[in-house]
Short mmCIF file of all heavy atoms in Angstrom, two decimals:
data_model
loop_
_atom_site.label_atom_id
_atom_site.label_comp_id
_atom_site.label_asym_id
_atom_site.label_seq_id
_atom_site.Cartn_x
_atom_site.Cartn_y
_atom_site.Cartn_z
N MET A 267 9.73 3.52 4.87
CA MET A 267 9.64 2.99 3.52
C MET A 267 9.49 4.14 2.52
O MET A 267 8.88 5.14 2.80
CB MET A 267 8.45 2.05 3.41
CG MET A 267 8.54 1.17 2.21
SD MET A 267 7.35 -0.16 2.27
CE MET A 267 6.18 0.43 1.10
N ASP A 268 10.06 3.93 1.37
CA ASP A 268 10.03 4.95 0.33
C ASP A 268 8.60 5.16 -0.17
O ASP A 268 7.92 4.23 -0.56
CB ASP A 268 10.91 4.47 -0.84
CG ASP A 268 11.16 5.59 -1.83
OD1 ASP A 268 10.37 6.54 -1.87
OD2 ASP A 268 12.16 5.51 -2.56
N HIS A 269 8.18 6.40 -0.13
CA HIS A 269 6.81 6.68 -0.55
C HIS A 269 6.60 6.45 -2.03
O HIS A 269 5.51 6.10 -2.45
CB HIS A 269 6.42 8.12 -0.18
CG HIS A 269 5.89 8.20 1.20
ND1 HIS A 269 5.06 9.18 1.64
CD2 HIS A 269 6.08 7.39 2.27
CE1 HIS A 269 4.75 8.98 2.90
NE2 HIS A 269 5.37 7.91 3.31
N ARG A 270 7.64 6.64 -2.79
CA ARG A 270 7.51 6.41 -4.23
C ARG A 270 7.19 4.96 -4.51
O ARG A 270 6.43 4.62 -5.39
CB ARG A 270 8.82 6.76 -4.93
CG ARG A 270 8.91 8.20 -5.30
CD ARG A 270 9.74 8.31 -6.58
NE ARG A 270 10.41 9.59 -6.61
CZ ARG A 270 11.70 9.73 -6.84
NH1 ARG A 270 12.44 8.69 -7.07
NH2 ARG A 270 12.23 10.91 -6.87
N LEU A 271 7.80 4.12 -3.69
CA LEU A 271 7.58 2.69 -3.84
C LEU A 271 6.11 2.38 -3.62
O LEU A 271 5.51 1.59 -4.34
CB LEU A 271 8.43 1.95 -2.80
CG LEU A 271 8.74 0.48 -3.07
CD1 LEU A 271 9.45 0.31 -4.39
CD2 LEU A 271 9.61 -0.06 -1.95
N LEU A 272 5.55 3.03 -2.62
CA LEU A 272 4.14 2.80 -2.30
C LEU A 272 3.22 3.13 -3.46
O LEU A 272 2.18 2.51 -3.64
CB LEU A 272 3.74 3.66 -1.09
CG LEU A 272 3.73 2.98 0.26
CD1 LEU A 272 3.15 3.94 1.29
CD2 LEU A 272 2.90 1.71 0.22
N GLU A 273 3.61 4.13 -4.21
CA GLU A 273 2.73 4.55 -5.30
C GLU A 273 2.72 3.55 -6.44
O GLU A 273 1.76 3.50 -7.20
CB GLU A 273 3.18 5.92 -5.82
CG GLU A 273 2.74 7.04 -4.90
CD GLU A 273 3.41 8.36 -5.26
OE1 GLU A 273 3.83 8.51 -6.41
OE2 GLU A 273 3.50 9.21 -4.37
N ILE A 274 3.77 2.79 -6.55
CA ILE A 274 3.83 1.88 -7.69
C ILE A 274 3.41 0.45 -7.35
O ILE A 274 3.14 -0.33 -8.23
CB ILE A 274 5.23 1.86 -8.36
CG1 ILE A 274 6.29 1.47 -7.34
CG2 ILE A 274 5.53 3.19 -9.01
CD1 ILE A 274 7.58 0.99 -7.99
N VAL A 275 3.37 0.15 -6.05
CA VAL A 275 3.02 -1.23 -5.71
C VAL A 275 1.51 -1.43 -5.85
O VAL A 275 0.72 -0.57 -5.51
CB VAL A 275 3.48 -1.65 -4.30
CG1 VAL A 275 4.99 -1.70 -4.23
CG2 VAL A 275 2.90 -0.76 -3.22
N ALA A 276 1.16 -2.58 -6.37
CA ALA A 276 -0.24 -2.93 -6.50
C ALA A 276 -0.41 -4.39 -6.07
O ALA A 276 0.54 -5.17 -6.11
CB ALA A 276 -0.70 -2.76 -7.95
N CYS A 277 -1.59 -4.70 -5.66
CA CYS A 277 -1.88 -6.06 -5.24
C CYS A 277 -1.70 -7.02 -6.42
O CYS A 277 -2.24 -6.78 -7.50
CB CYS A 277 -3.31 -6.12 -4.72
SG CYS A 277 -3.84 -7.79 -4.33
N PRO A 278 -0.93 -8.08 -6.24
CA PRO A 278 -0.71 -9.03 -7.34
C PRO A 278 -1.95 -9.86 -7.66
O PRO A 278 -2.03 -10.47 -8.72
CB PRO A 278 0.43 -9.92 -6.82
CG PRO A 278 0.33 -9.83 -5.34
CD PRO A 278 -0.19 -8.45 -5.03
N VAL A 279 -2.90 -9.86 -6.75
CA VAL A 279 -4.11 -10.66 -6.97
C VAL A 279 -5.15 -9.87 -7.77
O VAL A 279 -5.63 -10.31 -8.80
CB VAL A 279 -4.72 -11.13 -5.62
CG1 VAL A 279 -5.98 -11.94 -5.86
CG2 VAL A 279 -3.69 -11.95 -4.85
N CYS A 280 -5.46 -8.66 -7.28
CA CYS A 280 -6.52 -7.88 -7.92
C CYS A 280 -5.99 -6.63 -8.62
O CYS A 280 -6.75 -5.89 -9.22
CB CYS A 280 -7.58 -7.50 -6.89
SG CYS A 280 -7.00 -6.32 -5.67
N ASN A 281 -4.67 -6.39 -8.49
CA ASN A 281 -4.05 -5.22 -9.11
C ASN A 281 -4.53 -3.90 -8.49
O ASN A 281 -4.37 -2.83 -9.07
CB ASN A 281 -4.30 -5.21 -10.61
CG ASN A 281 -3.09 -4.73 -11.38
OD1 ASN A 281 -1.96 -4.83 -10.88
ND2 ASN A 281 -3.30 -4.21 -12.56
N GLY A 282 -5.12 -4.01 -7.32
CA GLY A 282 -5.66 -2.82 -6.67
C GLY A 282 -4.61 -2.11 -5.82
O GLY A 282 -3.47 -2.57 -5.67
N LYS A 283 -5.03 -0.99 -5.26
CA LYS A 283 -4.15 -0.19 -4.44
C LYS A 283 -3.91 -0.86 -3.09
O LYS A 283 -4.81 -1.48 -2.52
CB LYS A 283 -4.82 1.17 -4.21
CG LYS A 283 -3.88 2.26 -3.78
CD LYS A 283 -4.67 3.58 -3.73
CE LYS A 283 -3.80 4.79 -3.57
NZ LYS A 283 -2.86 4.81 -2.49
N LEU A 284 -2.69 -0.71 -2.59
CA LEU A 284 -2.35 -1.26 -1.28
C LEU A 284 -2.16 -0.14 -0.27
O LEU A 284 -1.70 0.94 -0.61
CB LEU A 284 -1.06 -2.09 -1.38
CG LEU A 284 -1.14 -3.35 -2.25
CD1 LEU A 284 0.24 -3.94 -2.44
CD2 LEU A 284 -2.07 -4.37 -1.63
N TYR A 285 -2.53 -0.44 0.95
CA TYR A 285 -2.38 0.54 2.03
C TYR A 285 -1.30 0.06 2.98
O TYR A 285 -1.31 -1.09 3.41
CB TYR A 285 -3.71 0.70 2.77
CG TYR A 285 -4.78 1.26 1.88
CD1 TYR A 285 -5.51 0.42 1.05
CD2 TYR A 285 -5.01 2.63 1.82
CE1 TYR A 285 -6.48 0.94 0.20
CE2 TYR A 285 -5.97 3.15 0.98
CZ TYR A 285 -6.70 2.29 0.16
OH TYR A 285 -7.64 2.80 -0.69
N PHE A 286 -0.38 0.96 3.31
CA PHE A 286 0.71 0.58 4.18
C PHE A 286 0.31 0.73 5.64
O PHE A 286 -0.11 1.81 6.07
CB PHE A 286 1.94 1.43 3.88
CG PHE A 286 3.16 1.04 4.66
CD1 PHE A 286 3.60 -0.28 4.65
CD2 PHE A 286 3.86 1.97 5.39
CE1 PHE A 286 4.72 -0.64 5.37
CE2 PHE A 286 4.99 1.61 6.11
CZ PHE A 286 5.42 0.30 6.09
N ASN A 287 0.44 -0.34 6.38
CA ASN A 287 0.22 -0.30 7.82
C ASN A 287 1.57 -0.16 8.50
O ASN A 287 2.38 -1.09 8.53
CB ASN A 287 -0.49 -1.58 8.27
CG ASN A 287 -0.82 -1.55 9.76
OD1 ASN A 287 -0.02 -1.12 10.58
ND2 ASN A 287 -2.00 -2.02 10.10
N LYS A 288 1.83 1.03 9.00
CA LYS A 288 3.14 1.34 9.55
C LYS A 288 3.45 0.50 10.80
O LYS A 288 4.56 0.02 10.97
CB LYS A 288 3.18 2.82 9.92
CG LYS A 288 4.43 3.52 9.43
CD LYS A 288 4.36 5.00 9.78
CE LYS A 288 5.39 5.78 8.98
NZ LYS A 288 5.29 7.22 9.22
N GLU A 289 2.47 0.35 11.64
CA GLU A 289 2.68 -0.39 12.89
C GLU A 289 3.09 -1.83 12.63
O GLU A 289 3.99 -2.37 13.26
CB GLU A 289 1.40 -0.39 13.73
CG GLU A 289 1.19 0.90 14.50
CD GLU A 289 -0.18 0.93 15.15
OE1 GLU A 289 -0.68 -0.13 15.54
OE2 GLU A 289 -0.75 2.04 15.25
N LYS A 290 2.40 -2.44 11.69
CA LYS A 290 2.66 -3.85 11.42
C LYS A 290 3.65 -4.07 10.29
O LYS A 290 4.06 -5.20 10.02
CB LYS A 290 1.34 -4.57 11.12
CG LYS A 290 0.45 -4.64 12.33
CD LYS A 290 -0.84 -5.36 12.02
CE LYS A 290 -1.71 -5.44 13.28
NZ LYS A 290 -3.10 -5.79 12.96
N GLN A 291 4.00 -2.98 9.60
CA GLN A 291 4.90 -3.09 8.44
C GLN A 291 4.34 -4.09 7.43
O GLN A 291 5.00 -5.04 7.01
CB GLN A 291 6.31 -3.53 8.91
CG GLN A 291 7.00 -2.48 9.76
CD GLN A 291 7.43 -1.25 8.94
OE1 GLN A 291 8.17 -1.37 7.98
NE2 GLN A 291 6.94 -0.07 9.31
N GLU A 292 3.11 -3.81 7.06
CA GLU A 292 2.45 -4.67 6.08
C GLU A 292 1.74 -3.80 5.06
O GLU A 292 1.30 -2.70 5.36
CB GLU A 292 1.41 -5.57 6.76
CG GLU A 292 2.00 -6.68 7.59
CD GLU A 292 0.94 -7.47 8.32
OE1 GLU A 292 -0.14 -6.93 8.62
OE2 GLU A 292 1.19 -8.63 8.61
N LEU A 293 1.62 -4.34 3.87
CA LEU A 293 0.82 -3.69 2.84
C LEU A 293 -0.50 -4.44 2.74
O LEU A 293 -0.52 -5.65 2.54
CB LEU A 293 1.56 -3.72 1.51
CG LEU A 293 2.71 -2.72 1.39
CD1 LEU A 293 3.64 -3.11 0.25
CD2 LEU A 293 2.18 -1.31 1.17
N ILE A 294 -1.56 -3.70 2.87
CA ILE A 294 -2.86 -4.33 2.98
C ILE A 294 -3.71 -4.07 1.75
O ILE A 294 -3.82 -2.93 1.28
CB ILE A 294 -3.58 -3.85 4.25
CG1 ILE A 294 -2.83 -4.38 5.48
CG2 ILE A 294 -5.04 -4.30 4.27
CD1 ILE A 294 -3.30 -3.83 6.79
N CYS A 295 -4.29 -5.15 1.23
CA CYS A 295 -5.27 -5.03 0.16
C CYS A 295 -6.64 -5.19 0.79
O CYS A 295 -6.96 -6.24 1.34
CB CYS A 295 -5.05 -6.10 -0.91
SG CYS A 295 -6.37 -6.07 -2.14
N LYS A 296 -7.42 -4.14 0.71
CA LYS A 296 -8.75 -4.19 1.33
C LYS A 296 -9.69 -5.10 0.55
O LYS A 296 -10.54 -5.76 1.13
CB LYS A 296 -9.34 -2.78 1.41
CG LYS A 296 -8.60 -1.91 2.42
CD LYS A 296 -9.33 -0.61 2.66
CE LYS A 296 -8.58 0.24 3.66
NZ LYS A 296 -9.33 1.45 4.04
N SER A 297 -9.54 -5.13 -0.75
CA SER A 297 -10.44 -5.95 -1.56
C SER A 297 -10.30 -7.43 -1.26
O SER A 297 -11.29 -8.16 -1.19
CB SER A 297 -10.17 -5.72 -3.05
OG SER A 297 -10.14 -4.34 -3.33
N ASP A 298 -9.08 -7.87 -1.09
CA ASP A 298 -8.83 -9.29 -0.85
C ASP A 298 -8.66 -9.61 0.62
O ASP A 298 -8.57 -10.79 0.98
CB ASP A 298 -7.55 -9.73 -1.59
CG ASP A 298 -7.68 -9.54 -3.09
OD1 ASP A 298 -8.72 -9.90 -3.64
OD2 ASP A 298 -6.73 -9.03 -3.69
N ALA A 299 -8.59 -8.58 1.46
CA ALA A 299 -8.34 -8.77 2.89
C ALA A 299 -7.05 -9.58 3.10
O ALA A 299 -7.00 -10.56 3.84
CB ALA A 299 -9.51 -9.43 3.59
N LEU A 300 -6.01 -9.15 2.38
CA LEU A 300 -4.70 -9.79 2.50
C LEU A 300 -3.67 -8.75 2.93
O LEU A 300 -3.76 -7.58 2.54
CB LEU A 300 -4.27 -10.38 1.16
CG LEU A 300 -5.00 -11.63 0.69
CD1 LEU A 300 -4.57 -11.99 -0.74
CD2 LEU A 300 -4.72 -12.82 1.61
N ALA A 301 -2.71 -9.21 3.73
CA ALA A 301 -1.64 -8.32 4.16
C ALA A 301 -0.32 -8.90 3.68
O ALA A 301 0.03 -10.04 3.98
CB ALA A 301 -1.64 -8.18 5.68
N TYR A 302 0.40 -8.08 2.91
CA TYR A 302 1.70 -8.50 2.39
C TYR A 302 2.80 -7.97 3.29
O TYR A 302 2.78 -6.79 3.66
CB TYR A 302 1.91 -7.97 0.96
CG TYR A 302 0.87 -8.49 0.01
CD1 TYR A 302 -0.30 -7.77 -0.23
CD2 TYR A 302 1.03 -9.71 -0.62
CE1 TYR A 302 -1.28 -8.25 -1.09
CE2 TYR A 302 0.08 -10.21 -1.48
CZ TYR A 302 -1.07 -9.48 -1.71
OH TYR A 302 -2.04 -9.96 -2.56
N PRO A 303 3.75 -8.81 3.65
CA PRO A 303 4.82 -8.34 4.54
C PRO A 303 5.78 -7.41 3.83
O PRO A 303 5.94 -7.47 2.61
CB PRO A 303 5.52 -9.65 4.94
CG PRO A 303 5.26 -10.59 3.83
CD PRO A 303 3.92 -10.22 3.25
N VAL A 304 6.41 -6.53 4.62
CA VAL A 304 7.48 -5.68 4.11
C VAL A 304 8.74 -6.07 4.88
O VAL A 304 8.80 -5.91 6.10
CB VAL A 304 7.17 -4.18 4.31
CG1 VAL A 304 8.33 -3.32 3.82
CG2 VAL A 304 5.89 -3.81 3.58
N ARG A 305 9.69 -6.62 4.18
CA ARG A 305 10.91 -7.10 4.83
C ARG A 305 12.09 -6.24 4.42
O ARG A 305 12.40 -6.14 3.24
CB ARG A 305 11.17 -8.56 4.43
CG ARG A 305 10.09 -9.46 4.99
CD ARG A 305 10.40 -10.93 4.79
NE ARG A 305 9.23 -11.72 5.17
CZ ARG A 305 8.71 -12.70 4.42
NH1 ARG A 305 9.26 -13.02 3.29
NH2 ARG A 305 7.66 -13.35 4.84
N ASP A 306 12.72 -5.64 5.43
CA ASP A 306 13.86 -4.74 5.18
C ASP A 306 13.50 -3.67 4.17
O ASP A 306 14.30 -3.32 3.31
CB ASP A 306 15.08 -5.55 4.69
CG ASP A 306 15.52 -6.58 5.70
OD1 ASP A 306 15.44 -6.30 6.92
OD2 ASP A 306 15.92 -7.68 5.29
N GLY A 307 12.27 -3.16 4.27
CA GLY A 307 11.85 -2.08 3.40
C GLY A 307 11.41 -2.52 2.02
O GLY A 307 11.09 -1.71 1.17
N ILE A 308 11.40 -3.82 1.80
CA ILE A 308 11.03 -4.32 0.48
C ILE A 308 9.70 -5.08 0.58
O ILE A 308 9.60 -6.05 1.33
CB ILE A 308 12.12 -5.25 -0.09
CG1 ILE A 308 13.41 -4.44 -0.27
CG2 ILE A 308 11.68 -5.86 -1.41
CD1 ILE A 308 14.64 -5.28 -0.47
N PRO A 309 8.70 -4.61 -0.14
CA PRO A 309 7.41 -5.30 -0.10
C PRO A 309 7.50 -6.68 -0.75
O PRO A 309 8.07 -6.83 -1.83
CB PRO A 309 6.48 -4.39 -0.91
CG PRO A 309 7.24 -3.14 -1.19
CD PRO A 309 8.69 -3.46 -1.04
N VAL A 310 6.97 -7.66 -0.05
CA VAL A 310 6.95 -9.02 -0.60
C VAL A 310 5.54 -9.26 -1.15
O VAL A 310 4.63 -9.62 -0.43
CB VAL A 310 7.30 -10.06 0.48
CG1 VAL A 310 7.33 -11.47 -0.12
CG2 VAL A 310 8.64 -9.73 1.13
N LEU A 311 5.41 -9.00 -2.44
CA LEU A 311 4.07 -9.06 -3.04
C LEU A 311 3.81 -10.43 -3.64
O LEU A 311 3.70 -10.60 -4.85
CB LEU A 311 3.92 -7.95 -4.09
CG LEU A 311 4.05 -6.54 -3.55
CD1 LEU A 311 3.92 -5.52 -4.66
CD2 LEU A 311 3.01 -6.27 -2.47
N LEU A 312 3.72 -11.39 -2.76
CA LEU A 312 3.43 -12.76 -3.17
C LEU A 312 2.22 -13.24 -2.40
O LEU A 312 2.17 -13.13 -1.18
CB LEU A 312 4.62 -13.67 -2.88
CG LEU A 312 5.92 -13.38 -3.61
CD1 LEU A 312 7.06 -14.20 -3.03
CD2 LEU A 312 5.77 -13.68 -5.10
N GLU A 313 1.28 -13.78 -3.13
CA GLU A 313 0.07 -14.25 -2.47
C GLU A 313 0.41 -15.32 -1.44
O GLU A 313 -0.22 -15.41 -0.37
CB GLU A 313 -0.90 -14.80 -3.52
CG GLU A 313 -2.30 -15.00 -2.97
CD GLU A 313 -3.25 -15.59 -3.99
OE1 GLU A 313 -2.86 -15.77 -5.16
OE2 GLU A 313 -4.40 -15.86 -3.61
N SER A 314 1.43 -16.12 -1.74
CA SER A 314 1.81 -17.20 -0.82
C SER A 314 2.40 -16.67 0.47
O SER A 314 2.42 -17.36 1.49
CB SER A 314 2.80 -18.15 -1.50
OG SER A 314 3.93 -17.43 -1.95
N GLU A 315 2.91 -15.44 0.44
CA GLU A 315 3.52 -14.83 1.63
C GLU A 315 2.52 -13.98 2.40
O GLU A 315 2.78 -13.58 3.53
CB GLU A 315 4.70 -13.94 1.22
CG GLU A 315 5.85 -14.67 0.60
CD GLU A 315 6.59 -15.53 1.62
OE1 GLU A 315 6.78 -15.08 2.75
OE2 GLU A 315 6.97 -16.67 1.27
N ALA A 316 1.41 -13.69 1.78
CA ALA A 316 0.43 -12.81 2.42
C ALA A 316 -0.36 -13.57 3.47
O ALA A 316 -0.52 -14.79 3.41
CB ALA A 316 -0.52 -12.25 1.37
N ARG A 317 -0.84 -12.80 4.45
CA ARG A 317 -1.71 -13.43 5.44
C ARG A 317 -3.10 -12.81 5.31
O ARG A 317 -3.25 -11.67 4.88
CB ARG A 317 -1.15 -13.25 6.84
CG ARG A 317 -1.21 -11.83 7.37
CD ARG A 317 -0.63 -11.72 8.77
NE ARG A 317 -0.82 -10.35 9.27
CZ ARG A 317 -1.89 -9.96 9.98
NH1 ARG A 317 -2.82 -10.83 10.28
NH2 ARG A 317 -2.01 -8.73 10.40
N SER A 318 -4.08 -13.60 5.69
CA SER A 318 -5.44 -13.08 5.66
C SER A 318 -5.66 -12.17 6.84
O SER A 318 -5.20 -12.45 7.94
CB SER A 318 -6.44 -14.24 5.72
OG SER A 318 -6.30 -15.04 4.58
N VAL A 319 -6.33 -11.08 6.62
CA VAL A 319 -6.65 -10.17 7.71
C VAL A 319 -8.17 -10.03 7.79
O VAL A 319 -8.88 -10.24 6.82
CB VAL A 319 -6.00 -8.78 7.51
CG1 VAL A 319 -4.50 -8.86 7.65
CG2 VAL A 319 -6.38 -8.17 6.19
N THR A 320 -8.61 -9.67 8.96
CA THR A 320 -10.02 -9.38 9.13
C THR A 320 -10.26 -7.96 8.63
O THR A 320 -9.33 -7.15 8.53
CB THR A 320 -10.44 -9.49 10.59
OG1 THR A 320 -9.70 -8.53 11.34
CG2 THR A 320 -10.16 -10.87 11.14
N LEU A 321 -11.48 -7.64 8.32
CA LEU A 321 -11.77 -6.30 7.82
C LEU A 321 -11.43 -5.24 8.84
O LEU A 321 -11.09 -4.12 8.49
CB LEU A 321 -13.23 -6.21 7.39
CG LEU A 321 -13.52 -6.85 6.03
CD1 LEU A 321 -14.98 -6.74 5.68
CD2 LEU A 321 -12.68 -6.21 4.93
N ASP A 322 -11.51 -5.57 10.11
CA ASP A 322 -11.14 -4.63 11.16
C ASP A 322 -9.70 -4.16 11.01
O ASP A 322 -9.39 -3.00 11.23
CB ASP A 322 -11.27 -5.29 12.54
CG ASP A 322 -12.72 -5.22 13.02
OD1 ASP A 322 -13.52 -4.57 12.34
OD2 ASP A 322 -13.01 -5.82 14.06
N GLU A 323 -8.84 -5.07 10.63
CA GLU A 323 -7.41 -4.74 10.53
C GLU A 323 -7.09 -3.88 9.32
O GLU A 323 -6.03 -3.29 9.25
CB GLU A 323 -6.59 -6.04 10.45
CG GLU A 323 -6.50 -6.78 11.76
CD GLU A 323 -5.63 -8.02 11.62
OE1 GLU A 323 -4.42 -7.93 11.79
OE2 GLU A 323 -6.19 -9.08 11.31
N THR A 324 -7.97 -3.84 8.36
CA THR A 324 -7.68 -3.07 7.15
C THR A 324 -8.01 -1.60 7.35
O THR A 324 -7.72 -0.77 6.50
CB THR A 324 -8.46 -3.61 5.94
OG1 THR A 324 -9.86 -3.45 6.18
CG2 THR A 324 -8.15 -5.06 5.69
N ASN A 325 -8.64 -1.27 8.45
CA ASN A 325 -8.98 0.13 8.69
C ASN A 325 -7.79 0.92 9.18
O ASN A 325 -6.93 0.40 9.81
CB ASN A 325 -10.12 0.23 9.69
CG ASN A 325 -11.41 -0.26 9.07
OD1 ASN A 325 -11.66 -0.06 7.89
ND2 ASN A 325 -12.21 -0.95 9.86
ZN1 LIG B 294 -5.99 -7.37 -3.90
#
């Protein structure tokens, strides 16, 4: 995934920074404990598409 893209993406819920999980291809918001999918290199920043993650997974 393009690193520049990572710098501009923010959580649509809290507007916070997202962390990219390479293994799972997800963008994770630690504040909301939500993981947004990345499909074909494009982050899907929709709360309805996000899944809840446990705090363990955000590390
Ligand atoms: Zn958030």
Side-chain angles (χ1 to χ4, degrees):
M267 198 167 105
D268 192 338
H269 273 204
R270 273 212 209 130
L271 201 58
L272 261 187
E273 283 168 23
I274 58 161
V275 293
C277 174
V279 179
C280 68
N281 219 25
K283 200 175 191 307
L284 295 171
Y285 296 85
F286 184 52
N287 183 318
K288 227 177 195 176
E289 280 172 33
K290 292 181 179 164
Q291 294 289 303
E292 287 176 333
L293 284 162
I294 292 172
C295 174
K296 291 189 180 186
S297 310
D298 299 315
L300 288 173
Y302 299 92
V304 178
R305 294 188 188 131
D306 300 324
I308 298 164
V310 183
L311 298 179
L312 297 169
E313 194 182 356
S314 57
E315 295 290 320
R317 70 180 185 91
S318 296
V319 291
T320 62
L321 282 179
D322 277 354
E323 286 182 88
T324 63
N325 290 324

